Amino acid sequence: QVQLVESGGGLVQPGGSLRLSCASSGTILSSDTVGWYRQTPGNERDMVAIIRRGRTTDYAESVKGRFTISRDNAKNTVSLQMVSLKPEDTAVYYCNLVQSNWRGVYTYWGLGTQVTVSS
């Protein structure tokens, strides 16, 4: 059972930056899909940034050019660099890991970290 732990959230002013990190208790393979999602009260959890099967990277339209997802396979971490933050970026951010093997597909979530953008 893989555990994911997010860190780096907090309160930041509009236009500021934050870097979120996600540490995995297990090995993140280069072929795994890793991503960041966010959720606000009463809404669904939406994809923010994702690296699909270690190859293609995709971003939500609202964060393109401002957020950058990266992974460090040696450290089993996934990061999300966020710049030019806006109040509408306020949400709980969740790290996600999807692993596929001959036994099946396994999806893991962290507990989330709160990001608040406000003056």
Side-chain angles (χ1 to χ4, degrees):
Q1 183 77 5
V2 174
Q3 292 186 330
L4 303 175
V5 179
E6 302 97 336
S7 61
L11 173 64
V12 63
Q13 292 186 342
S17 301
L18 279 177
R19 184 178 180 87
L20 305 183
S21 293
C22 173
S24 171
S25 64
T27 300
I28 299 179
L29 302 175
S30 58
S31 60
D32 292 340
T33 293
V34 294
W36 288 93
Y37 291 69
R38 67 186 181 188
Q39 188 173 23
T40 55
N43 293 309
E44 295 185 352
R45 193 171 297 184
D46 295 324
M47 187 274 290
V48 175
I50 192 169
I51 304 176
R52 302 182 192 277
R53 297 191 62 81
R55 291 194 293 267
T56 59
T57 301
D58 197 12
Y59 296 91
E61 198 65 36
S62 60
V63 307
K64 282 184 179 178
R66 299 189 299 120
F67 290 12
T68 303
I69 186 172
S70 61
R71 59 192 294 170
D72 186 330
N73 292 338
K75 296 181 178 180
N76 293 315
T77 59
V78 183
S79 298
L80 184 68
Q81 179 67 48
M82 307 184 293
V83 302
S84 301
L85 283 161
K86 305 175 180 180
E88 50 263 43
D89 294 318
T90 296
V92 178
Y93 284 71
Y94 297 90
C95 180
N96 173 259
L97 168 65
V98 180
Q99 297 182 319
S100 300
N101 56 42
W102 64 271
R103 289 187 294 269
V105 179
Y106 300 87
T107 300
Y108 303 98
W109 293 95
L111 295 180
T113 184
Q114 175 71 47
V115 171
T116 302
V117 184
S118 175
S119 55

